[in-house]
Amino acid sequence: MPENEIDWPGYLRQFHTATPGSTEALLSRAVSGDHTPYRWLVRAVSAESRRILDLACGNGPVARELYGRWVVGVDNNSVQLSGSPGPKVQADALHLPFANEAFDVVTCSMGLMVLQPLPDVLAEAARVLRRGGVLAATVPAVRPLRRGDIRTLSGLTTRLRSTPQFPAGGEITGLRALLNGAGFDVLESQRERYAYTVRSIDDARRLVGALYLPGGSDARRETAAAWLTERAETKPDGLEVAIPVRRITAMRTKLALS
């Protein structure tokens, strides 16, 4: 392995075992109007859907938003999965232990950028969806941003001396083509700006603690958290940190292309 190549499976396993629920703790406090990214995701799940698979479910925030519905959570990390409500299965996204066409909907909150190789993951999701079933997913985006957002985000990365990374890169490029290749027709792709408000050092630590920073140090995270807190103290309502999110929904219409 080249010296600068990241062992993503090892890094993700260690990260989520050491800090289970860190992503959920951040995104559950990020808002746009009256909703969080989790609530926005489940709005793409129709009321008629009865069998739902939540892929890379973490500690189950999507299932909680879908309270009262039959949601099976799947994650490959047992520590993360232990906090998920309802039925759950520890499994690899490349080898889902379910029959063909077992589900009406597959949801995936901020997971497609870490599940690799993505074409195979999408093909497996298509396999377990019935024809006409829907994949609803959120992924990081690079926009929309407001005036001042770039200054805050640039200052944050400067103090971290690193930019948050994902196995699939930042905003996943070519996702529509990948979905088409897996047998999906894209129904919609939208972007939304969520805001996480820092008012205290605990808020700042929650933010920097949820970032994937391979090779980053705890000292740099603490420096960044202190800087965010200092800026927040100068603002009556705290410091908003933008979290742009893309939601994409796609219908499974055919088998994956060979």
Side-chain angles (χ1 to χ4, degrees):
M1 176 182 297
E3 185 178 349
N4 61 350
E5 185 172 330
I6 299 167
D7 172 18
W8 276 111
Y11 176 81
L12 293 169
R13 182 171 56 252
Q14 181 180 27
F15 181 94
H16 287 294
T17 299
T19 58
S22 57
T23 302
E24 294 85 348
L26 174 65
L27 293 181
S28 65
R29 292 169 175 81
V31 296
S32 176
D34 66 344
H35 62 281
T36 67
Y38 298 121
R39 187 161 297 173
W40 191 41
L41 175 59
V42 303
R43 286 177 180 175
V45 179
S46 72
E48 292 76 26
S49 301
R50 293 289 175 262
R51 302 165 298 167
I52 302 163
L53 175 67
D54 187 23
L55 194 60
C57 67
N59 66 8
V62 171
R64 292 185 181 89
E65 290 289 345
L66 290 168
Y67 179 77
R69 312 280 284 279
W70 190 71
V71 182
V72 178
V74 170
D75 202 287
N76 67 357
N77 187 299
S78 60
V79 177
Q80 283 267 94
L81 193 62
S82 65
S84 181
K88 50 198 171 187
V89 178
Q90 183 177 357
D92 189 324
L94 294 170
H95 306 285
L96 296 172
F98 306 109
N100 295 349
E101 303 192 15
F103 295 94
D104 302 313
V105 174
V106 171
T107 58
C108 187
S109 171
M110 300 302 235
L112 295 185
M113 69 280 191
V114 299
L115 299 173
Q116 295 289 303
L118 187 52
D120 296 342
V121 170
L122 295 176
E124 184 68 348
R127 181 186 67 79
V128 301
L129 271 172
R130 64 170 175 80
R131 188 178 294 269
V134 168
L135 170 68
T138 52
V139 296
V142 296
R143 56 181 175 83
L145 295 173
R146 295 178 182 171
R147 179 177 294 181
D149 288 344
I150 294 176
R151 178 187 174 192
T152 298
L153 296 173
S154 296
L156 178 60
T157 56
T158 295
R159 284 151 184 86
L160 289 168
R161 295 184 182 171
S162 178
T163 301
Q165 300 179 56
F166 305 101
E171 182 166 355
I172 302 174
T173 59
L175 183 54
R176 183 181 293 268
L178 290 173
L179 285 163
N180 290 157
F184 290 97
D185 285 345
V186 175
L187 302 176
E188 60 93 21
S189 177
Q190 301 181 40
R191 290 172 173 82
E192 186 70 74
R193 175 192 181 272
Y194 289 87
Y196 174 82
T197 302
V198 175
R199 296 186 177 89
S200 67
I201 188 66
D202 287 341
D203 294 333
R205 286 170 175 160
R206 182 180 297 115
L207 171 62
V208 299
L211 303 176
Y212 294 150
L213 299 167
S217 69
D218 290 341
R220 297 314 307 174
R221 288 183 190 267
E222 191 62 20
T223 296
W227 177 77
L228 289 169
T229 306
E230 289 171 6
R231 289 203 63 202
E233 288 171 349
T234 68
K235 300 180 180 296
D237 298 320
L239 175 66
E240 280 194 1
V241 180
I243 303 177
V245 175
R246 178 186 180 192
R247 184 185 72 181
I248 191 161
T249 61
M251 180 181 294
R252 185 257 180 174
T253 56
K254 53 188 176 294
L255 294 176
L257 301 177
S258 57

